[in-house]
Amino acid sequence: MKEDVEMDAIEILKQLKNKGVRFTPQRQAILEFLLETESHPTADEIYHHVKAKFPGVSLGTIYNTLNMLKEHGHLLELSYGDMSSRFDGNPKNHYHIVCLMCGMVADYHSPLIDMNQEVMEKSGFLITGHRMEFYGICPECRKDEKPN
Ligand code: ZN
Ligand code: MN
């Protein structure tokens, strides 16, 4: 495990323990995987990853750990209508690019567009955030494009 991931995990564990959240080794493995991966895994992918180390882990444990981390602001859930949600261990708002061919989700780090104030004034909504996503075909899938 990368050292900074270990530091982040220890810090989050400490914060949650102060709030009275119980942490099992399985829950810790879920958190560590989310912090170290950049793949934005689905709950199912997280389950298979953690199961390799903890064969007794259940999908229920995965879901309740994800809900708990989300509630405490340590996790972003990216939902896509009928498709499975993907989970991001980086809870700070940032942009994503989705590949329409393979479903891969990549980060795109750029300063956030500052439109919340404008939308609030024009719509009358109290705006608490916004979500913007880019869609396309990833470099890996583009290799398979047939040249015409
Ligand atoms: Zn792709
Ligand atoms: Mn992300």
Side-chain angles (χ1 to χ4, degrees):
M1 198 191 313
K2 281 178 264 162
E3 221 168 89
D4 50 338
V5 167
E6 211 174 334
M7 287 303 295
D8 287 351
I10 290 168
E11 188 50 42
I12 292 171
L13 288 177
K14 216 163 65 187
Q15 286 181 24
L16 289 173
K17 264 177 195 155
N18 287 340
K19 294 181 182 171
V21 177
R22 225 179 99 250
F23 247 92
T24 60
Q26 297 182 349
R27 281 187 146 192
Q28 189 166 340
I30 295 166
L31 174 63
E32 283 167 0
F33 179 48
L34 283 162
L35 291 172
E36 74 193 4
T37 185
E38 288 179 2
S39 70
H40 306 90
T42 62
D44 222 47
E45 286 164 355
I46 297 166
Y47 173 62
H48 287 291
H49 180 90
V50 174
K51 207 175 160 66
K53 200 170 162 197
F54 298 97
V57 75
S58 70
L59 202 49
T61 299
I62 305 292
Y63 278 111
N64 70 43
T65 305
L66 292 173
N67 285 335
M68 179 274 293
L69 289 171
K70 201 174 118 181
E71 251 168 55
H72 290 279
H74 296 296
L75 181 69
L76 280 187
E77 177 175 0
L78 311 172
S79 39
Y80 298 100
D82 287 350
M83 283 176 9
S84 305
S85 285
R86 290 171 166 276
F87 296 91
D88 191 333
N90 175 6
K92 291 197 195 94
N93 198 5
H94 57 283
Y95 295 120
H96 291 101
I97 318 177
V98 182
C99 177
L100 297 171
M101 304 276 289
C102 67
M104 181 265 253
V105 179
D107 285 333
Y108 187 76
H109 293 288
S110 172
L112 295 176
I113 291 170
D114 190 8
M115 271 182 64
N116 291 0
Q117 193 58 39
E118 181 189 327
V119 175
M120 192 136 85
E121 281 163 14
K122 290 187 179 164
S123 70
F125 276 64
L126 170 66
I127 302 297
T128 56
H130 72 268
R131 179 174 168 189
M132 181 165 76
E133 266 175 342
F134 299 89
Y135 299 93
I137 301 166
C138 76
E140 208 44 49
C141 290
R142 289 192 68 187
K143 285 184 193 159
D144 303 331
E145 277 178 351
K146 290 193 190 94
N148 337 297

